[in-house]
């Protein structure tokens, strides 16, 4: 779970307040579904205590297990980091899939419980407006509001939601003290009869319903890196934070739980059992204050789940498990699309499934215990390995306790699925395989990340802060060492490619009859003059061939062809007058396919065209001629936005910008940049964008990210120097620029700052929906750049 920390934490209590919002809220809503089940069934007197003691025992064993995790994993990746180290790639995708579901369910449960607390005081919310309860509409409004605030960045979220954890801890202890003062200390009765005959089912079913009290325990393992001190001191403080929160939850189960059982009526549909108990245990003013505290902390928990989803998306993007579009940062430095996806899912659930937290608790707890059991077995595997390396009695005892915790969490997972399968737990058999397949698909499409990207992604997924840089908070160890600086020794074939001079003599210009399209004639003529080439003017009739025997359609087509041919001849005469050899062709069919075919037939070296910018939405659903051409043609394309009619500036090649990322496909622009720079005497700028973002985006994690960023900058600078050295040997000096974070934003900023005349980029050739989903940097640059862009496809030109 994401939390906001703007400096290093100094003690366990600070950590409890920073990370305990989600687990501290669980006692507010777990008793209702539990009591409703056993009271209605008439078995509460026998099963209540057994279920509660089972949960308390589970809390104790899992907390002890997490003490090991906190010692081993100190970079903030927690139990997920441990399972990835022990089990490998499949655990990464399983963890990510379940975590995505869990963040969404945290949002659902917290918001549903929040609305329940409000409805306890405003019963009118239980009435209907048209097809929906008012409480469903309130939940949707609050969900949208929470998403909007979270997407404005952590400072806005912290300012509006604030640290509510201290207030809810005070409320829980006030309830515990009031229960003892008014009713005496009555711990739940433990009866072995609860595990016999017809009682066993209800004991285990009740256990399954209140296991959600352990949600959020993972956050304390993720929080280790936020503390001051040595690794051992950090892990000890983080464990202290866990004990404060989970200890409060356990004490509340043992003291306030029996009081709720005695005082509340779980069959009352108007008021939750926790509010009923508050009203009877606390003075009226404190009871109403408790409702406000509950609302505040549940709203804060919803916001924290949304921030956690943002961080998860950033990490998965860095590790190439999701497309850039999903994990892309907005102007506030956070990934906003995952939050709107979460808000959309939550809103649909509230409107069409309802706002009872019981509806979502079974799915919620199921995912929690899958992750806990994976962590338990990962810890067991590591302890076994350590025990083999050197046997000690303490290690053997620790292993025994960890095995118990692993078996306990696995058994709890089985119980939840068995008891709550039809209640929603079955959805994991759909969600997780689908998400696993999605992550696998994008990893295969995008390729494996670099070691730096992999390390950054792990940090981002577990990121517990997004606020200001820590004022000298020191360093902390990573799970794995920083990757060593890369030494670029390019293969001879790649170096030979950089030295090539490519042909730019045969140039194709598509024309539709507009003055805007004709602005492509000037750069085409300029290139033909400089390289001694020719220009092919093409106009395409976007129509199907007429049916055989349809004389009228054939005559109409002939007239259209004649008109196009006449227009092209008139235009060609203007170029011929400049001494540029020019030919014309009229094609028929889909424009991109026709141009691709003619380019192959005429052995075209370059296509020059203009484009009008459209929004990404319209390009995806409606398409544009330029977009389809850019996606399909197999020759380089020089594309630019036309100036208003009569205002087209002269086309120049003074400064060329070539972004390179170290990949062979990106280097396909190098021969074209070299050829143009040599022919026009251009200044060539090689742009490198480090694969690690600005550390200022990472709050107190900035010290680690700064090291990764420095390593990334060194790697890309070394690589660019290698390329520049080869070009210099060929008589084409190149300047090196290393800057930026997001590739498209950086390219657009640098082209303006350096007043470049042409940007050269390689194009993957991905088009349509795939281009949108994968997040094409090329598409965004082309449609937002005020400068001409030359796109070089990664496929070879057809002969």
């Amino acid at each position: 779970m994401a939390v906001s920390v703007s400096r290093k934490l100094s003690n366990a209590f600070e950590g409890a307040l920073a990370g305990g919002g989600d687990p501290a809220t669980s006692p507010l809503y777990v008793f209702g579904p539990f009591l409703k089940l056993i009271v209605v069934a008439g078995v509460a007197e026998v099963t209540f205590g057994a279920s509660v003691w089972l949960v308390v025992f589970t809390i104790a064993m899992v907390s002890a297990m997490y003490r090991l995790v906190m010692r081993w994993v100190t970079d903030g990746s927690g139990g997920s980091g441990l399972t990835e180290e022990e089990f490998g790639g499949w655990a990464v995708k399983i963890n990510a899939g379940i975590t995505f579901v869990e963040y969404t369910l945290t949002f659902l449960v917290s918001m549903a419980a929040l609305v329940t607390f409000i409805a306890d005081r405003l019963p009118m919310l239980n009435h209907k407006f048209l097809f929906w309860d008012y409480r469903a509409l309130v939940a949707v409004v609050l969900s949208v509001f929470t998403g909007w605030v979270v997407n404005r960045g952590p400072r806005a979220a912290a300012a509006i939601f604030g640290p509510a954890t201290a207030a809810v801890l005070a409320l829980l202890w006030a309830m515990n003290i009031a229960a003892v003062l008014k009713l005496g200390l009555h711990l739940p009765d433990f009866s072995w009869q609860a595990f016999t005959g017809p009682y066993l089912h209800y004991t285990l079913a009740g256990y399954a319903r209140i296991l959600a009290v352990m949600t959020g325990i993972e956050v304390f393992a993720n929080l280790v890196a936020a503390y001051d001190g040595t690794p051992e001191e950090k892990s000890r403080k983080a464990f202290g934070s866990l004990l404060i929160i989970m200890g409060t939850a356990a004490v509340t189960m043992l003291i306030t739980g029996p009081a709720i059982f005695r005082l509340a009526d779980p069959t009352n549909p108007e008021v939750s059992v926790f509010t009923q108990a508050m009203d009877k245990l606390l003075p009226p003013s404190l009871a109403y204050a408790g409702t406000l505290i509950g609302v505040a902390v549940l709203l804060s928990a919803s916001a924290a789940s949304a921030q956690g989803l943002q961080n998860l998306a950033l990490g998965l993007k860095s590790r190439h498990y999701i497309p850039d579009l999903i994990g892309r940062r907005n102007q506030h430095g956070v990934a906003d699309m995952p939050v709107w996806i979460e808000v959309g899912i939550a809103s649909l659930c509230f409107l069409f499934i309802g706002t009872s937290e019981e509806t979502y608790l079974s799915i919620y707890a199921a995912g929690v215990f899958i992750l806990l059991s994976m962590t338990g077995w990962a810890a067991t595997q590591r302890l076994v390995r350590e025990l083999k390396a050197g046997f000690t009695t303490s290690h053997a005892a620790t292993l025994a306790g960890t095995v118990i915790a692993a078996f306990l969490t696995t058994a709890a997972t089985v119980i939840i699925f068995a008891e709550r399968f039809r209640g929603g737990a079955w959805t994991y058999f759909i969600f997780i395989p689908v998400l696993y397949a999605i992550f696998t698909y994008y990893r295969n499409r995008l390729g494996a990340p670099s070691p730096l990207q992999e390390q950054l992604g792990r940090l981002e997924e577990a990121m517990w802060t997004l606020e200001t840089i820590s004022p000298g908070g020191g360093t902390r160890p990573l799970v794995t060492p920083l990757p060593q600086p890369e030494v670029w020794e390019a293969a001879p074939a790649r170096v030979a490619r950089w030295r090539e001079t490519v042909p730019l003599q045969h140039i194709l210009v598509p024309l539709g009859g507009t003055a805007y399209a004709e602005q492509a004639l000037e750069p085409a003529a300029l290139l033909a003059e400089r390289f001694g080439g020719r220009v092919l003017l093409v106009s395409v009739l976007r129509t199907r061939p007429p049916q055989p025997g349809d004389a009228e359609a054939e005559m109409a087509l002939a007239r259209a062809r004649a008109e196009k041919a006449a227009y092209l001849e008139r235009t060609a005469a203007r170029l011929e007058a400049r001494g540029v050899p020019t030919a014309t062709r009229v094609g028929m069919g889909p424009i991109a396919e026709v141009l691709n075919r003619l380019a192959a037939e005429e052995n075209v070296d370059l296509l020059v065209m203009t484009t009008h910018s459209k929004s990404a939405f319209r390009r995806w659903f409606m398409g544009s001629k330029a977009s389809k051409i850019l996606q399909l043609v197999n020759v380089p394309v020089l594309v630019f936005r036309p100036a208003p009619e009569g205002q087209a500036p002269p086309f120049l090649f003074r400064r060329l910008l070539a972004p390179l990322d170290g990949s062979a496909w990106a280097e396909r622009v190098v021969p074209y940049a070299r050829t143009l720079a040599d022919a026009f005497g251009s200044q060539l700028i090689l742009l490198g964008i480090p694969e690690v973002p600005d550390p200022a985006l990472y709050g107190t994690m900035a010290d680690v990210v700064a090291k990764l960023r420095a390593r990334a900058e060194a790697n890309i600078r070394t690589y660019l120097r290698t390329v520049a050295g080869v070009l210099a040997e060929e008589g084409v000096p190149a300047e090196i620029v290393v800057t930026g974070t997001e590739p498209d934003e950086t390219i657009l900023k640098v082209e303006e700052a350096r007043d470049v005349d042409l940007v050269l980029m390689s194009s993957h050739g991905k088009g349509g929906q795939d281009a949108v989903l994968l997040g094409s940097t090329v598409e965004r640059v082309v449609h937002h750049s005020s400068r001409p862009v030359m796109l070089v496809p990664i496929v070879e030109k057809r002969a």
Side-chain angles (χ1 to χ4, degrees):
M1 183 66 64
V3 296
S4 292
V5 180
S6 58
R7 60 181 178 80
K8 293 287 185 180
L9 301 170
S10 60
N11 56 62
F13 186 69
E14 283 189 358
L17 297 184
D22 179 35
T25 62
S26 55
L28 303 181
Y29 50 74
V30 297
F31 286 106
F34 168 48
L35 291 177
K36 185 182 297 184
L37 171 75
I38 60 176
V39 169
V40 171
V43 297
E45 294 295 338
V46 176
T47 62
F48 176 83
S51 296
V52 170
W53 280 110
L54 275 177
V55 169
V56 171
F57 179 68
T58 304
I59 291 174
M61 296 305 297
V62 174
S63 297
M65 178 185 73
Y66 265 92
R67 183 69 182 101
L68 293 173
V69 177
M70 292 170 180
R71 287 174 178 169
W72 290 332
V73 184
T74 59
D75 70 341
S77 60
S80 296
L82 179 64
T83 57
E84 289 178 23
E85 289 184 350
E86 295 298 325
F87 300 137
W90 68 265
V92 179
K93 289 178 271 193
I94 293 293
N95 276 329
I98 294 176
T99 303
F100 172 83
V101 174
E102 285 301 289
Y103 280 137
T104 304
L105 287 167
T106 300
F107 193 95
L108 278 164
V109 171
S110 300
M111 195 63 69
L114 182 158
V115 175
T116 295
F117 263 72
I118 297 175
D120 287 345
R121 303 304 184 189
L122 298 173
M124 66 164 291
L125 294 184
N126 295 314
H127 299 158
K128 285 189 177 293
F129 174 77
L130 297 178
F131 303 105
W132 297 291
D133 294 335
Y134 282 104
R135 58 189 291 158
L137 300 177
V138 170
V140 171
V141 170
L142 289 175
S143 297
V144 173
F145 170 74
T146 302
W148 178 79
V149 172
V150 168
N151 280 336
R152 293 185 65 81
R155 289 180 181 273
I160 292 179
F161 299 125
T165 307
V168 79
L169 287 176
L171 172 63
L172 294 178
W173 281 104
M175 291 283 286
N176 292 331
I177 294 170
V180 172
L181 293 178
K182 288 197 172 186
L183 305 175
L185 179 60
H186 297 286
L187 298 179
D189 294 327
F190 184 88
S191 172
W192 287 107
Q193 187 182 2
F195 298 94
T196 63
Y199 296 110
L200 177 61
H201 166 74
Y202 290 101
T203 300
L204 296 180
Y207 174 62
R209 281 162 174 76
I210 52 176
L211 276 175
V213 76
M214 296 187 62
T215 59
I217 191 172
E218 168 76 4
V219 70
F220 299 105
N222 293 343
L223 203 62
V224 173
Y227 295 89
D228 277 326
T230 64
E232 178 55 34
E233 290 171 340
K234 292 177 180 181
S235 65
R236 186 176 64 250
K237 292 174 183 178
F239 185 64
S241 299
L242 181 151
L243 291 180
I244 291 171
I245 298 298
M246 300 314 297
T248 297
V251 170
T252 302
M253 299 295 295
L254 294 173
I255 296 178
T256 299
I260 294 175
F261 176 42
R262 292 177 59 184
L263 299 175
D265 176 10
T267 63
N268 183 348
E270 298 293 328
V271 184
S272 68
V273 296
F274 196 91
T275 296
Q276 291 180 54
M278 277 200 306
D279 289 344
K280 293 180 180 180
L281 290 175
L282 302 177
S285 58
L286 288 182
Y288 276 87
T291 297
L292 295 176
I293 289 170
V295 169
V297 75
L298 288 165
L299 195 62
S300 177
S302 299
S305 79
Q307 287 180 317
L309 200 58
Q310 288 174 334
N311 299 336
L312 178 66
L314 291 174
L316 292 177
K317 184 191 79 167
S318 293
R319 301 173 79 179
H320 293 184
Y321 286 114
I322 61 173
D324 175 75
L325 181 68
I326 303 296
R328 185 175 177 80
R329 295 179 186 270
N330 65 10
Q331 65 268 33
H332 302 290
V334 296
D336 56 357
M337 183 170 288
V339 175
W340 290 126
I341 293 173
E342 180 181 62
V343 168
I345 293 172
S347 298
L348 291 174
C349 289
F350 292 142
L351 291 174
F352 296 103
I353 299 177
T355 57
S356 172
E357 56 269 27
E358 181 180 1
T359 304
Y360 310 106
L361 276 175
S362 58
I363 319 177
Y364 190 27
V368 169
F369 273 84
I370 294 173
L371 294 177
L372 290 179
S373 59
M374 288 177 64
T375 300
W377 292 115
T380 299
Q381 181 166 300
R382 177 168 291 194
L383 283 171
V384 168
R385 192 166 60 248
E386 291 181 355
L387 199 62
K388 288 180 179 178
F391 179 87
T392 65
T393 304
S394 62
H395 267 70
T398 302
L399 174 60
T402 304
V403 170
I404 292 174
F407 271 112
L408 192 59
T409 51
T410 303
T413 306
V414 173
I415 291 170
I416 293 171
F417 273 91
E419 293 293 335
R420 303 294 289 161
F421 185 80
R422 292 185 179 180
W426 61 269
T427 56
Y428 277 92
F429 292 96
I430 296 176
F431 292 150
I432 303 309
V434 168
L435 290 171
Y436 192 97
I438 290 172
F439 298 149
T440 301
Y441 170 79
Y442 282 113
R443 184 65 173 255
N444 292 338
R445 286 300 303 268
L446 299 172
S450 70
L452 283 175
Q453 289 174 313
E454 180 71 21
Q455 185 70 56
L456 177 68
R458 291 189 63 172
L459 294 174
E460 287 174 323
E461 287 175 29
M463 190 161 51
W464 31 259
T465 174
L466 279 171
E467 288 200 8
T468 57
I469 299 178
S470 170
T475 61
R476 54 187 174 277
L478 299 166
V479 174
T480 55
L482 281 169
Q484 293 300 311
E486 298 180 22
V487 178
W488 280 94
E489 296 182 358
R494 290 177 70 175
V495 174
R497 180 78 182 186
W498 301 344
R499 299 180 188 275
E500 288 182 4
T501 298
V502 293
L504 289 173
Q505 295 174 308
H506 302 163
I507 301 167
L508 187 155
V509 180
L511 297 175
T514 67
Y516 291 108
E518 290 177 9
Q519 290 186 29
L521 295 173
E522 177 59 30
L526 181 61
L527 290 167
E529 290 171 340
R530 184 58 56 102
F531 292 102
R534 61 182 178 86
V535 174
L536 173 65
L537 305 181
V538 175
S539 192
V540 179
L541 294 169
R542 291 178 290 167
T543 185
R544 295 179 180 179
Q547 293 293 328
D550 190 342
E552 184 177 349
E554 291 177 355
M555 290 179 61
L557 178 60
R559 286 195 299 270
R561 276 186 176 278
E563 291 174 1
K564 290 285 189 183
Y567 162 70
L568 291 178
E569 290 297 334
R570 292 193 301 271
T571 306
R574 289 153 47 189
L575 296 183
E576 294 281 358
R578 290 179 54 170
V580 178
T582 307
T584 64
R585 293 282 296 270
V586 176
M588 184 174 65
I591 186 169
E593 295 178 12
V594 171
L595 293 179
N596 208 31
R597 176 174 54 80
L598 292 178
E601 291 176 359
E602 299 288 340
N603 198 28
V604 167
D605 300 316
L606 177 68
L607 189 152
V608 181
M609 61 180 289
T610 61
T611 180
H612 290 279
S613 179
K614 290 186 178 181
S615 70
F617 180 89
R618 290 186 65 197
R619 289 200 310 275
W620 186 20
F621 287 99
M622 298 173 61
S624 74
K625 290 183 291 184
S627 292
K628 291 177 181 177
I629 292 170
L630 297 179
Q631 293 158 12
L632 295 178
V633 298
N634 296 322
V635 298
V637 180
L638 193 160
V639 60
F640 61 97
R641 189 178 304 169
E645 192 171 357
Q647 301 180 26
F651 207 95
L652 304 172
F653 291 93
R654 299 167 303 176
R655 280 180 288 278
L656 312 179
L657 177 66
L660 300 175
D661 61 8
S663 66
W665 72 264
E667 291 170 5
R668 288 190 61 80
V669 305
V670 174
Y672 291 89
R674 178 196 180 285
T675 299
L676 290 171
D678 187 45
F680 290 95
S682 313
Q683 177 188 1
L684 178 56
I685 302 170
L686 303 181
L687 172 63
I689 304 167
E691 55 196 0
V692 177
D694 184 351
L697 297 169
Y698 293 86
T700 52
M701 195 179 284
D703 52 348
V704 169
V705 177
K707 293 180 179 180
L708 295 174
R709 171 77 177 193
R711 190 63 48 82
E713 289 179 352
N715 289 345
I716 193 67
R717 198 179 300 276
T718 300
Y719 161 70
L720 292 179
R721 284 174 179 162
T722 303
V723 179
V726 172
L727 293 177
E729 293 174 1
E730 299 299 314
V732 179
E735 177 186 357
I736 293 172
V737 174
V738 176
T739 187
T741 295
E742 293 289 350
D744 55 322
E745 293 178 1
T746 302
I747 292 168
L748 294 173
K749 288 178 181 178
V750 171
E751 72 173 34
E752 290 294 331
R754 302 302 299 269
D755 191 26
V756 304
D757 299 302
L758 180 66
V759 179
L760 297 98
M761 302 179 67
S762 291
S763 169
H764 277 291
K766 296 184 290 283
Q769 181 176 348
D770 198 38
V772 174
L773 293 178
L774 286 172
S776 171
T777 296
V778 170
E779 285 256 336
R780 288 193 291 266
V781 170
V782 168
H783 289 276
H784 292 91
S785 176
S786 61
R787 313 298 169 117
V789 180
M790 179 183 285
L791 303 179
V792 180
I794 60 174
V795 296
E796 294 290 344
K797 187 180 72 173
R798 294 176 181 174

